Amino acid sequence: MVVSALQEPRFIGRSEAIRLVEADVDCAARSNAKVLITGETGVGKEVVARLIHQRSARCSQSLVTVNCAGVPESLLESELFGHRRGSFTGAYRDKPGLLETAPNGTLFLDEVGEMTMRMQVVLLRFLETGEIQRIGADRPHTRVNVRLITATNRDLSKEIAAGTFREDLYFRLNVIRVTIPPLRERLDDIGPLFEYYLNLFAVQHRLPRPQLCPTALETLMAHRWPGNVRELRNVAERVVLKAGAGDRIRPSDLPADVFHGRPRPSPVATDASASSIPGPSQVEEMTARMLRNGESFWSTVYPVFMARDLTRSDLRRIVQTGLESTNGNYRLLVQLFNMPIEDYKRFLGFLRKHDCHLPFQRFRTVPTRLRAVEPEPVRTATAVSA
Ligand SMILES: Nc1ncnc2c1ncn2[C@@H]1O[C@H](COP(=O)(O)OP(=O)(O)OP(=O)(O)O)[C@@H](O)[C@H]1O
Ligand SMILES: [Mg+2]
C-alpha cells in the first residue's frame, strides 16, 4: 500500500467531448450519487475521479483509492473493511479498513471490473447497508458515510452477459455515468496535451522546451494512441529528453510507431540473422498491421514465428518497437499489440521461452509514472489521502 500526497489534477482538453466530460464532472461533484467512469486505458479515468472529489463538498476529507486489479480477494476485503485479530494467519491485531479511514470522504474503486464474484457480493452488501463488518467479526462494527466512485476499462454489459459481473451491482454503481472517449476520437486535444507535457517535462528535467513543427503535430494527430494520454505523455517526455537546445520537433524525431507507423531500423536487429526471411520490410509491415490496423499479435506474428518464417531477431525488433512507445511497459505492450490484458502472462512466457524478452529498463530513460510496475504482474491497493 502506498500513501502519497494528493496533487492538483490537471485536466487538459478543448474538444467538444472533453467539454461534455467536464460538465458531467461538475454535475457529479454537486451530489453524493455514485459515479461510474468508463473509457480505455490511459484516457484519464483517475484524473476525473480526483476532479470530482476535489470539486465536491467532500474535498476537505480523504480520497481513498483502491485498485482492484490483481489484488487477491482476501487482501482486498481486508484492505477495505479491516480484520479482527486472529481471523487469519498473520492477523496479529485488530486492523481498521480503508473505508473507516475515509469518513465523509470519497472511495475510488479503480478497475472495479476485475473484482471477483464474491467481492462483488461483499461490496453490494456494504452499499445496501453502509455497514462495515471486519473479517473475522460476527456482526457489523460501524457505519460509514463514504461517497463511491468506480472506474473500469471493461465493457461491463459484456461482463454481465458473460456472467462475470453482477447486474444488480452494476445498476447500483451506474448512477452518474462519465464516459471518456479515446484520444483518437478527440483530435483537438492532442495539440494542447502535447504542449502541456512538453512544458511540464522541460521544467521537470530543467531542459529547454522544444518547439513542435506543424507537420509533427499532424503526425501526432494521425497516430492511433492505443495507450491514450498516458502514451502521449511518455512520448512528450522522451522528446524533451532527446531534443537539443533550440530544437524543433520534426515527424522523424517522434518514436517509430508514431512517425507514420513505420518502425525505424533498430540496434537490436543488427545481427546477421535479421536479414533472413521475412526481411525488414515484412517485419515493419507486421508491426504496422498491429499498430495501425488493430490486428492481434497472436494472429499476425505468432503463427509466422512458430512456422520459423520469422527469426528471433525479427521478433525482438517487433518487441523493441512496441516497448519504445510504451516506455518499456509490458502491460501496455500487450494492449498495443491488441491482446486482451489477461494474455499478459502468456505473452511474457512466450517471449521468455524464445529468448525474446527484452529488459524493460533500457526503455525507461527516466523514472516512469506508470501505475503498472514491471515485471511484477500484481498491482496492490493504493491509498491516497487528501
Ligand atoms: N485530460 C488530461 N489532461 C492532462 N493529463 C491527463 C489527462 N487525461 C489523462 N492524463 C494523464 O494521463 C495519464 C493516465 O491517466 P489516468 O491514470 O487517469 O488514466 P486511466 O484512464 O485511469 O488509465 P487506466 O485504465 O490504465 O488505469 C496520467 O498521467 C494522467 O495525468
Ligand atoms: Mg486508472
Side-chain angles (χ1 to χ4, degrees), residues 200-265:
L200 185 102
F201 290 119
V203 170
Q204 212 170 80
H205 296 294
R206 296 171 189 222
L207 287 167
R209 183 210 187 284
Q211 298 300 320
L212 195 61
C213 74
T215 45
L217 178 60
E218 278 167 24
T219 307
L220 291 175
M221 288 170 79
H223 184 53
R224 221 179 122 254
W225 298 112
N228 291 291
V229 185
R230 183 181 287 120
E231 183 190 354
L232 176 141
R233 179 191 159 116
N234 290 339
V235 170
E237 185 165 17
R238 192 142 25 116
V239 164
V240 168
L241 290 167
K242 282 188 175 172
D247 267 7
R248 282 176 69 79
I249 308 163
R250 292 155 301 144
S252 56
D253 298 320
L254 298 169
D257 61 312
V258 179
F259 174 43
H260 297 308
R262 281 199 297 272
R264 296 169 187 158

Side-chain angles (χ1 to χ4, degrees), residues 42 89 91 106 125 129-130 155 174 202 230 278 286 329 346 356 369:
T89 316
T106 306
R125 192 182 59 205
T129 63
D155 180 344
N174 188 30
R230 183 181 287 120
M286 276 182 184
N329 186 309
R346 181 186 164 206
C356 291
R369 287 167 186 274

Side-chain angles (χ1 to χ4, degrees), residues 72-86:
E73 70 177 18
S74 54
L75 178 61
L76 185 58
E77 186 175 356
S78 157
E79 286 288 338
L80 283 175
F81 298 98
H83 58 251
R84 292 280 308 274
R85 179 176 161 216

Side-chain angles (χ1 to χ4, degrees), residues 138-201:
D138 49 13
R139 71 176 76 91
H141 164 77
T142 185
R143 280 172 169 272
V144 288
N145 170 354
V146 67
R147 198 260 177 100
L148 184 66
I149 302 180
T150 50
T152 181
N153 52 25
R154 292 195 181 215
D155 180 344
L156 289 185
S157 46
K158 277 192 191 150
E159 302 295 325
I160 292 167
T164 52
F165 202 86
R166 293 184 65 107
E167 192 170 29
D168 46 4
L169 179 59
Y170 173 75
F171 287 130
R172 283 215 164 247
L173 302 180
N174 188 30
V175 180
I176 297 180
R177 177 66 161 268
V178 183
T179 302
I180 312 175
L183 198 50
R184 63 184 163 279
E185 288 176 16
R186 42 188 173 104
L187 298 182
D188 287 351
D189 294 341
I190 290 175
L193 275 165
F194 205 77
E195 297 286 350
Y196 169 74
Y197 280 117
L198 285 181
N199 270 331
L200 185 102
F201 290 119

Side-chain angles (χ1 to χ4, degrees), residues 3-9 46-47 49-55 58-65 106 108 383-386:
V3 180
S4 66
L6 184 64
Q7 289 157 357
E8 162 74 9
E46 185 163 349
V47 178
R50 286 176 171 223
L51 272 182
I52 294 173
H53 173 75
Q54 289 204 328
R55 292 182 187 178
R58 294 171 179 260
C59 62
S60 57
Q61 306 300 322
S62 294
L63 166 68
V64 172
T65 298
T106 306
F108 174 42
V384 179
S385 308

Side-chain angles (χ1 to χ4, degrees), residues 99-104 126 129-132 142-146:
L99 281 167
E100 281 178 68
T101 66
N104 305 317
F126 167 70
T129 63
E131 291 173 345
I132 293 188
T142 185
R143 280 172 169 272
V144 288
N145 170 354
V146 67

